[in-house]
Amino acid sequence: MADILLRERMEEGILILTLNRPEAMNCFNFDLIAALADVIREANFDMDLRCIIITGAGGEDPKKASFSTGADLKERRTLSPDQVRRFIFTIRNTFTAVEQVRVPVIAAINGFAFGGGMELALACDLRIASSNVIMGLTETSLAIIPGAGGTQRLPRIIGIAKAKELIFTARRIDARTALDIGLVNRVVEPAELMPAARVLAREIAKNGPIGVSQAKFAINNGMEASLGVALPLESKAYEVTIPTKDRLEALAAFAEKRKPVFKGE
């Protein structure tokens, strides 16, 4: 059986993860969630890693491409209520791990992104969409609600009123609309999606990895705090960078008019 989560490591410390269930439009079953959780957990201890890109398999035909269409409803029909609770618990925690992993994560959204597929994209730090993308939190049309963070992350990204509109109506939106409301950072043609994601990942990877990880930590944990709490948190994150070799390397490179060579130390 083919690996349901493909891994490609680039020289720059960039890891590309491809959800690989194209026959099921890359929807999530227990096995795919477990595979993603394992990789994300190990990423926290991979000191050579600089950035992660997540995309979906089967994007050769833009009209049929899918990032992920959410939960595997065929599997869902076989689950007991207790097993459904376990599934929701697992997928929610896995996407939270994606959000909190120490390196930036880019969602390269290559097609349909519904339900849990869109929720995975929301958990990523940055989102690039191909122009053929259709996305939405469609759970209320199935008499449920987003259960992997969608009700919380979407309003934080696009604002509460627009998020309520999209969730209450289960509306599907195209890539241009997603860009207009600030849901995605950039829209490109399908053939340019992965090249654009790699360019962005390389822009991140060339910078000091400790600085980038601490910036992510400060933003993620400071956004919901009062300014009186968030500013000291930023200062503490800054303090982590002061004794590093990378900071001294940056100063030396500036003085010597060369590019710095960061080692994450």
Side-chain angles (χ1 to χ4, degrees), residues 92 95-96 119 122 137 146-155:
R92 184 187 70 236
F95 290 178
T96 297
E119 288 178 296
L122 294 174
L137 294 179
T151 64
Q152 303 307 305
R153 293 190 178 99
L154 185 62

Side-chain angles (χ1 to χ4, degrees), residues 17 19 36 52-56 67 98 105-109 120 124:
L17 301 178
L19 309 176
L36 180 60
I52 298 172
I53 300 171
I54 301 179
T55 193
F67 179 71
V98 170
V105 183
I106 300 168
I109 310 169
L120 173 58
C124 295

Side-chain angles (χ1 to χ4, degrees), residues 96-133:
T96 297
V98 170
E99 182 178 55
Q100 295 178 349
V101 69
R102 65 176 187 83
V103 299
V105 183
I106 300 168
I109 310 169
N110 58 308
F112 300 124
F114 301 138
M118 179 164 162
E119 288 178 296
L120 173 58
L122 294 174
C124 295
D125 298 291
L126 303 169
R127 286 161 291 281
I128 301 177
S130 59
S131 58
N132 60 298
V133 159

Side-chain angles (χ1 to χ4, degrees), residues 19-52:
L19 309 176
N20 190 36
R21 300 188 70 214
E23 75 289 349
M25 302 187 80
N26 301 318
C27 61
F28 288 98
N29 59 9
F30 273 109
D31 290 340
L32 181 53
I33 295 170
L36 180 60
D38 287 345
V39 173
I40 295 299
R41 180 178 58 251
E42 291 306 309
N44 287 300
F45 306 101
D46 183 349
M47 294 300 104
D48 293 324
L49 187 63
R50 299 292 181 262
C51 189
I52 298 172

